[in-house]
Amino acid sequence: MSELPGDLLYTRDHEWLRREDDGSVTIGITDHAQHALGDLVYVELPEVGQVVSEAGEMAVVESVKAASDVYAPISGEIVEVNEALADDPEKINSDPYGDGWIVRMEPSDSIDEDTLLSPDDYQEFIDELDD
Amino acid sequence: MGSRTPLYDKHIAANARIVDFGGWDMPLHYGSQKEEHHAVRRHAGVFDVSHMTIVDLAGRRVVEFLQYLVANDVAKLKDHGKALYTCMLNADGGIIDDLIIYFMADTGYRLIVNAATREKDLAWIRQQAVDFDVAAEERAELSMLAVQGPKARELAAGCIDAGFRDAALALKPFTGVQAGDFFIARTGYTGEDGWEICMPAADAPGVWDCLLAAGVAPCGLGARDTLRLEAGMNLYGTDMDESVSPLEAGLNWTIAWEPADRNFIGRKALEAQRAKADNRRFVGLLLEDRGVLRNHQKVVVEGFGEGEITSGGFSPTIDRSIALARLPAGDYERAKVDVRGKLLNVRIVKTPFVRNGEIRIDTVGETQ
């Protein structure tokens, strides 16, 4: 499996977050998650403007095998969704940290890094899962 | 750790993702389930199905026994090598298992039953066989490969003994031939042409390597499931079980009602059910909205009641979601499926969805 991007934060539910310069946060699922799900065939996206709270269901990714919830790693408002996933859900398989992003959020509070995982901590977490 | 087939090391070498399937460690996929699916529809793929249970029956009264044991009639098997798909029922007409029966020799028949139902099937068969002096021998030492796809027979022909090649290639659909220690049948579970090959376990790794070298794609249980769903073929334990009769599982065609005096297990219950007008329908569904249909989702048919999706998923060939479902009796063509609280539109379609690489259903439909 490829190396984790060092500029992202991660969750135990296998989401990643990128803090953008404008204060918003881009969110997707990790390479580990897309690999476990297999070929993605459908993504149910939230509405722009929808307010989600931390750990709440935010999107659903469906592979040929199963449906899986994507949880909001932080509270905030959805300001943009990746419309391209409607026609090309497999972008999440091919480029989970890039073109396969899922939503962009405006956080309602400052991000508490203690509740999230650093790249090293997430790597350790998935290594333990694979054992 | 579960049971392993003689090809387990080959699966690992081909980067298989291994999952538990009825107590067996089996490959789910070797990287991409979708690519494996397409390989079978467009070219050729090979599945290790050695976990399936092969039972050879022998005895002077074996025909009489099978005419009692299963709902279809083995008297239809006039020539050696002919195959018959059937259900084995309990006295209530519930399906104990579905199986294929091959007519091997005058007093010998081969049954291929599901892996997950092995123990109950063997116990049931042996219990019923006592009165007929029929011996049921499990052939656990045999491995089985399913080579499927438009190029399957052509490519697999190079991997079997040259002395049997012509006979194997001459097989008509749903027939098989004994070829030395091998038994080759033109059958499958994908809706494509191909062979299922039973062979001694020691031969299986060599045949596997030969097939892969010939360009046949290794395929896992994931693709096997989407292929059989597109082909409109039932999966035991999902689309049917002991609480359901063939009449409510789309398998009326596997029941031989004639001759009327053939007394098979479950016949009385089936006859009583057949006389009723409110038997549930077993149908194919095409999702008209975006989303994916899944097993156990509720189907709502306005004015008729509710039913359930028995097998749902994404069809890689159609690029839409399809399903098999058991629905209330009645004359209707549309329904809605509860997908996470949203009611999505589905249209009832005639299965198979896909056969021999071609989409067989109308994917456009009439607009509402």
Side-chain angles (χ1 to χ4, degrees):
Chain A
M1 203 152 300
S2 58
E3 202 157 301
L4 292 172
D7 58 336
L8 307 180
L9 291 168
Y10 299 86
T11 73
R12 287 184 173 77
D13 294 318
H14 308 285
E15 288 99 16
W16 57 260
L17 297 78
R18 179 187 296 113
R19 283 174 289 191
E20 308 294 352
D21 295 340
D22 64 0
S24 68
V25 175
T26 304
I27 296 163
I29 64 169
T30 66
D31 189 46
H32 177 90
Q34 71 77 16
H35 189 76
L37 284 164
D39 301 307
L40 288 175
V41 293
Y42 177 66
V43 181
E44 190 177 297
L45 295 163
E47 303 282 334
V48 170
Q50 194 176 320
V51 175
V52 295
S53 49
E54 186 185 323
E57 288 169 21
M58 181 178 76
V60 181
V61 286
E62 301 216 27
S63 69
V64 278
K65 277 187 293 185
S68 180
D69 288 315
V70 180
Y71 300 101
I74 53 170
S75 299
E77 183 185 338
I78 307 287
V79 293
E80 191 182 359
V81 297
N82 187 358
E83 301 283 0
L85 296 179
D87 289 324
D88 288 315
E90 64 271 25
K91 280 180 191 290
I92 292 178
N93 293 118
S94 58
D95 192 9
Y97 303 113
D99 285 347
W101 66 277
I102 297 174
V103 299
R104 200 159 59 78
M105 273 174 73
E106 200 64 58
S108 52
D109 301 300
S110 59
I111 293 170
D112 180 3
E113 287 198 20
D114 292 345
T115 66
L116 299 165
L117 302 177
S118 69
D120 286 348
D121 289 346
Y122 180 67
Q123 185 66 57
E124 199 174 311
F125 176 67
I126 56 178
D127 287 346
E128 279 170 21
L129 291 180
D130 287 341
D131 285 343
Chain B
M1 193 181 88
S3 305
R4 291 176 172 182
T5 79
L7 292 167
Y8 180 80
D9 292 340
K10 295 291 178 191
H11 300 320
I12 297 299
N15 289 317
R17 185 183 160 94
I18 299 289
V19 292
D20 172 69
F21 181 80
W24 291 82
D25 289 342
M26 296 300 288
L28 180 64
H29 61 73
Y30 303 82
S32 169
Q33 180 176 328
K34 255 170 99 175
E35 291 308 313
E36 292 163 26
H37 181 107
H38 290 316
V40 171
R41 287 276 177 253
R42 297 167 185 168
H43 188 67
V46 56
F47 304 83
D48 178 11
V49 285
S50 304
H51 60 307
M52 295 195 74
T53 308
I54 303 172
V55 184
D56 283 346
L57 300 183
R60 199 177 45 82
R61 295 172 64 196
V62 66
V63 172
E64 200 186 331
F65 168 62
L66 284 169
Q67 288 188 305
Y68 173 68
L69 184 74
V70 300
N72 213 335
D73 188 355
V74 291
K76 291 178 184 172
L77 302 177
K78 301 248 189 280
D79 301 315
H80 292 154
K82 279 290 283 178
L84 185 75
Y85 174 73
T86 184
C87 290
M88 183 162 74
L89 308 178
N90 61 28
D92 300 328
I95 303 172
I96 294 174
D97 201 4
D98 64 333
L99 59 148
I100 284 189
I101 301 177
Y102 293 99
F103 180 25
M104 304 289 278
D106 290 339
T107 56
Y109 287 78
R110 171 165 289 178
L111 316 185
I112 300 190
V113 305
N114 282 298
T117 49
R118 175 185 166 273
E119 279 176 38
K120 75 162 186 179
D121 286 358
L122 285 169
W124 178 261
I125 291 166
R126 285 177 174 146
Q127 182 192 331
Q128 307 304 328
V130 172
D131 291 342
F132 295 86
D133 291 322
V134 165
E137 184 197 1
E138 186 187 5
R139 301 294 304 274
E141 79 284 9
L142 296 180
S143 290
M144 185 154 78
L145 291 177
V147 194
Q148 303 276 294
K151 297 277 181 200
R153 294 188 307 134
E154 178 188 327
L155 295 173
C159 298
I160 60 169
D161 189 310
F164 299 107
R165 206 167 280 158
D166 290 345
L169 286 170
L171 286 171
K172 292 197 170 67
F174 239 64
T175 62
V177 63
Q178 190 71 43
D181 289 341
F182 285 41
F183 179 74
I184 301 169
R186 195 170 171 189
T187 50
Y189 192 48
T190 60
E192 296 298 323
D193 199 355
W195 285 342
E196 292 180 298
I197 310 173
C198 299
M199 70 197 92
D203 290 306
V207 173
W208 174 270
D209 285 342
C210 174
L211 290 167
L212 264 54
V216 178
C219 298
L221 293 176
R224 190 167 163 81
D225 193 47
T226 49
L227 287 158
R228 70 91 195 168
L229 177 59
E230 285 185 350
M233 293 170 170
N234 291 9
L235 173 62
Y236 190 80
T238 300
D239 300 301
M240 54 197 179
D241 56 32
E242 292 189 29
S243 71
V244 174
S245 89
L247 293 173
E248 292 189 322
L251 296 176
N252 310 32
W253 61 277
T254 70
I255 305 167
W257 300 102
E258 300 294 333
D261 62 353
R262 181 174 69 94
N263 172 39
F264 62 87
I265 302 170
R267 176 164 194 138
K268 280 199 178 63
L270 285 190
E271 282 178 347
Q273 192 182 23
R274 183 165 67 149
K276 291 177 11 181
D278 61 346
N279 290 320
R280 290 170 295 176
R281 303 171 66 181
F282 188 76
V283 300
L285 300 179
L286 174 70
L287 180 62
E288 298 191 310
D289 297 321
R290 282 182 181 268
V292 186
L293 302 172
R294 301 286 182 189
N295 300 12
H296 307 305
Q297 284 170 344
K298 187 171 74 181
V299 183
V300 181
V301 194
E302 207 177 321
F304 293 91
E306 291 180 354
E308 190 183 69
I309 287 182
T310 55
S311 290
F314 180 79
S315 160
T317 306
I318 307 172
D319 204 27
R320 298 267 288 276
S321 184
I322 58 172
L324 296 174
R326 198 155 15 251
L327 305 182
D331 187 16
Y332 52 86
E333 289 166 7
R334 291 178 167 279
K336 292 184 189 295
V337 177
D338 185 337
V339 178
R340 292 185 294 275
K342 281 185 207 154
L343 289 176
L344 304 185
N345 291 295
V346 290
R347 188 156 48 83
I348 291 160
V349 294
K350 192 175 181 315
T351 59
F353 300 93
V354 180
R355 189 91 192 175
N356 293 327
E358 283 177 24
I359 297 171
R360 290 291 195 91
I361 57 162
D362 173 12
T363 55
V364 182
E366 38 184 325
T367 47
Q368 262 188 320

